[in-house]
Amino acid sequence: MSTCSSPSLSVRRHWWMTNRKVAEKHVKEARALLASHDQAQKQAALGLLDAAIALCPRWDTPLHLKATALLRLQRYRDVAELFRDDIPPSSSFPDDSAASSSSDSLSRENLNLLPPTNSAVLTRCFSVSDLKHRIAARDTPRSSGHHHHHQYWRYLILGQALSHLGLLEESLQLLQAGKRLASAASRRDSVLSSDDVFAASGGCANAAAAELDSATQLLSNLKFLLRRRAAALAALENGIPPEAVRHLSKILEGSRRAVPQAFLAECYTLRAAAYRAGGRIPEAIADCNRALALDPTCVDALSARSSLLEHVRCFTEFLQDLEHLKLLYDSILRDRKLPGPAWRRGGRGGQFSAGEFAANSRSVAGKIAELKRMVVAGSTPPVDYYALLGLRRGCTRSELECAYRLLCLRHRPDRATTFVERCEFVEDRDADGVRDQAKMSALLLYRLLQKAYANVMAAVLEQEAAAKQKRAAAAAAAAAAAAAAAAAAAAMAEAKATTTVSRIMDVRKGGRNRKPSNCSSTKQELPDNSPVPAAFPGGFCREIGGAGGILSPSFAPRHLHETLSC
């Protein structure tokens, strides 16, 4: 039986070695092509690597070289598709705070990048003679059963690709696992290898060290982003919208490195929710516009913007968003998955809930039918421009102008595309579409703010005119009351003067009827201490003076002369 089996084994081994030599030739040519800066040569190198992988499926060198080339060419989607089955499910991740604070909580059981190995083989020690034999045969421990430990590059490359695609939790888990495996492999190589092996493999060691350094820097950035987002979510749940806005603004505007496109859209959606909780409707709508410009299929951002437009009663734009949302729900229910590629979070079947999306689709359809009936009947209420501008009803002109200036400075259409510079796009052509969509949505919001300012200013002018008329009427009433009071005072003074003159005339008439003798005799007969008669009161002269002051100059001297002559 041994004689029969040996030829077949030799033929199989000769066929494998032939394919291996061809694959090695392809890999060598691919390395030379990848060293150039010509895109056509790099594409040709990828074709050679595909041929090498087809010849030797179990050989990791061409696969590693292809993944590295795709990563350097920024073809992150191709890397994710290459290792699509190796992406850990999102349901296996802990919370953001735990994932960002501790690496021990990330287990290796959820990672399926490496095939299972025998632990006894991994812990076996080699003798010096065995090491000399392997070195002499130009075979290092990497080609033995230990090669699985040296496949940590899968973790690092896939982790970097997923971080650029916006899957930060998956990337964090993969990079931490790859870093642990790389450290373990480095410690084992330092024990098992001699100085000559290290000197011979210095270039590989330098490349691995550079790869680990880049992974470490990426890990620190990922932890910063995830911690900020976790803090923002905690502040939003505890009812502190300004704190949530502060943490999310650190991610969106204060990050030193570019933020992935998908994660940036998610953070804009969260900040829109924080702005709405704080009563800042224009800022919330602007963040929803940015999120939809980055990801047009973002259901959360679209539903948030539709609710904001419903809140301010902009029913025309609200109806458009509802129809777009209905189309998204129908496509999700038809395809039985969320929009986007298969490697995207939620698109792998674990987090898809058909019942929830069906209920949401029915609710949106009911809102659309009701809104259309209101539009046909003409019973739609007017737009609440005060809520859109964040003002109270009955505000003054200074408050309106101050709020409008601030909103215009924040939401100018020419500054609507500044966030694109802080975004890391998967493909370069995505940036142009995002700029166009962001500029168009910002222009619509700016026109809506202008319309709100015009309507509120008209209402403020009407209030000012009504207040001015009210003040004029009050002033006229006060002037009429003052004139009436003056007339009444003049009438009373005239009546008093007439009464005084009549009394003076009565006294004058009474004096003319008396005889002078009687007057002199009476005056002589009156004792010194007798009281003054009532016909000659003591206030007679004062009354005459008062009457003279009231009467006209032409009338007073003659009558006073006649009166005093008696």
Side-chain angles (χ1 to χ4, degrees):
M1 183 177 295
S2 60
T3 59
C4 295
S5 60
S6 58
S8 60
L9 289 176
S10 62
V11 171
R12 181 179 301 176
R13 183 174 179 81
H14 181 267
W15 171 83
W16 180 85
M17 288 299 296
T18 303
N19 290 342
R20 180 62 177 266
K21 289 182 179 180
V22 175
E24 288 178 354
K25 181 180 179 182
H26 289 338
V27 169
K28 184 177 180 181
E29 293 177 357
R31 288 182 187 275
L33 292 176
L34 288 174
S36 63
H37 298 284
D38 189 6
Q39 295 295 329
Q41 293 184 358
K42 291 182 179 180
Q43 294 294 333
L46 291 176
L48 290 174
L49 291 175
D50 290 335
I53 293 172
L55 290 173
C56 298
R58 295 185 179 183
W59 191 25
D60 289 333
T61 301
L63 185 62
H64 184 193
L65 192 59
K66 179 182 178 181
T68 305
L70 291 174
L71 189 65
R72 291 177 181 176
L73 292 173
Q74 297 182 357
R75 295 171 57 178
Y76 308 119
R77 293 176 180 174
D78 295 338
V79 177
E81 291 292 339
L82 185 63
F83 299 106
R84 181 176 60 183
D85 298 333
D86 299 328
I87 300 176
S90 59
S91 60
S92 64
F93 297 120
D95 296 337
D96 293 339
S97 59
S100 59
S101 61
S102 174
S103 61
D104 296 335
S105 61
L106 302 175
S107 61
R108 291 177 53 194
E109 297 177 357
N110 299 321
L111 300 177
N112 194 22
L113 293 179
L114 300 183
T117 55
N118 189 6
S119 59
V121 177
L122 296 178
T123 57
R124 187 179 62 184
C125 296
F126 292 91
S127 62
V128 177
S129 59
D130 192 6
L131 285 175
K132 289 182 178 179
H133 176 72
R134 292 179 182 274
I135 293 171
R138 293 184 180 179
D139 190 10
T140 61
R142 297 176 185 265
S143 61
S144 64
H146 301 274
H147 72 281
H148 299 308
H149 262 284
H150 293 275
Q151 292 182 355
Y152 62 87
W153 59 267
R154 293 174 178 255
Y155 293 90
L156 299 180
I157 292 178
L158 183 57
Q160 294 179 36
L162 294 184
S163 68
H164 294 292
L165 292 174
L167 304 180
L168 301 191
E169 291 88 351
E170 292 89 340
S171 174
L172 182 68
Q173 183 176 3
L174 290 170
L175 290 175
Q176 287 179 339
K179 190 176 179 181
R180 287 197 301 268
L181 286 176
S183 300
S186 177
R187 289 194 300 269
R188 189 184 63 254
D189 289 345
S190 64
V191 173
L192 298 180
S193 300
S194 62
D195 295 338
D196 296 336
V197 175
F198 277 111
S201 62
C204 298
N206 293 333
E211 193 173 11
L212 281 178
D213 290 340
S214 62
T216 303
Q217 294 177 2
L218 184 58
L219 269 175
S220 63
N221 187 46
L222 293 179
K223 289 180 180 180
F224 166 77
L225 297 177
L226 292 176
R227 284 170 181 168
R228 285 291 183 182
R229 190 185 66 176
L233 289 174
L236 197 58
E237 291 177 358
N238 293 326
I240 315 175
E243 191 69 14
V245 170
R246 186 179 69 85
H247 286 292
L248 291 170
S249 299
K250 288 288 186 181
I251 297 175
L252 300 172
E253 301 171 2
S255 179
R256 296 181 179 178
R257 299 183 61 174
V259 183
Q261 181 179 357
F263 187 75
L264 198 66
E266 182 182 356
C267 290
Y268 274 123
T269 305
L270 291 175
R271 196 171 73 169
Y275 275 139
R276 181 177 183 179
R280 301 171 64 177
I281 304 299
E283 286 79 3
I285 295 177
D287 278 349
C288 289
N289 291 338
R290 296 186 185 100
L292 289 173
L294 291 168
D295 187 6
T297 61
C298 184
V299 178
D300 296 335
L302 189 59
S303 60
R305 190 176 69 175
S306 63
S307 63
L308 287 168
L309 294 174
E310 183 183 12
H311 177 70
V312 297
R313 299 199 292 268
C314 293
F315 291 108
T316 304
E317 294 81 2
F318 175 51
L319 182 59
Q320 295 176 359
D321 283 352
L322 285 181
E323 291 176 348
H324 188 190
L325 195 60
K326 182 68 169 56
L327 292 176
L328 282 179
Y329 283 144
D330 292 342
S331 64
I332 290 171
L333 292 173
R334 182 183 64 251
D335 299 335
R336 308 294 297 177
K337 69 180 186 66
L338 293 177
W343 44 262
R344 190 171 179 176
R345 184 182 300 135
R348 295 188 298 276
Q351 300 199 358
F352 177 78
S353 177
E356 180 181 357
F357 284 105
N360 293 336
S361 179
R362 289 193 297 268
S363 176
V364 170
K367 288 183 179 181
I368 291 174
E370 182 181 0
L371 188 57
K372 287 183 178 180
R373 285 195 299 268
M374 292 173 60
V375 171
V376 171
S379 59
T380 55
V383 181
D384 190 1
Y385 292 114
Y386 288 93
L388 181 61
L389 296 175
L391 296 171
R392 58 177 180 83
R393 293 188 177 274
C395 62
T396 61
R397 182 186 294 190
S398 60
E399 293 176 351
L400 173 61
E401 290 178 351
C402 181
Y404 179 67
R405 288 195 190 99
L406 288 176
L407 291 176
C408 287
L409 289 175
R410 291 173 182 170
H411 306 293
R412 286 170 52 187
D414 56 347
R415 298 179 58 186
T417 59
T418 55
F419 74 98
V420 180
E421 300 174 358
R422 297 185 295 272
C423 179
E424 180 184 0
F425 293 98
V426 180
E427 296 180 2
D428 294 336
R429 64 176 179 269
D430 295 341
D432 298 333
V434 170
R435 287 190 181 92
D436 296 339
Q437 182 65 29
K439 189 177 294 185
M440 183 178 64
S441 58
L443 184 60
L444 293 176
L445 177 60
Y446 191 75
R447 289 177 179 175
L448 187 60
L449 293 175
Q450 286 180 336
K451 188 176 180 180
Y453 173 75
N455 283 270
V456 175
M457 180 58 74
V460 169
L461 291 177
E462 290 179 359
Q463 292 176 2
E464 290 181 354
K468 186 177 180 180
Q469 292 179 358
K470 188 176 181 180
R471 288 194 299 269
M492 289 179 62
E494 187 177 358
K496 186 176 180 181
T498 306
T499 304
T500 305
V501 170
S502 62
R503 288 179 63 186
I504 293 171
M505 296 299 293
D506 292 340
V507 172
R508 185 175 63 82
K509 290 178 181 180
R512 288 179 180 179
N513 294 331
R514 293 191 186 94
K515 296 181 179 181
S517 61
N518 292 335
C519 291
S520 59
S521 62
T522 304
K523 184 177 180 180
Q524 293 175 357
E525 292 177 358
L526 288 175
D528 298 332
N529 55 356
S530 62
V532 179
F536 301 95
F540 182 72
C541 294
R542 289 194 300 272
E543 292 178 358
I544 291 174
I550 296 172
L551 299 176
S552 61
S554 62
F555 175 78
R558 183 171 59 85
H559 286 78
L560 288 177
H561 179 71
E562 293 177 357
T563 303
L564 293 175
S565 64
C566 66

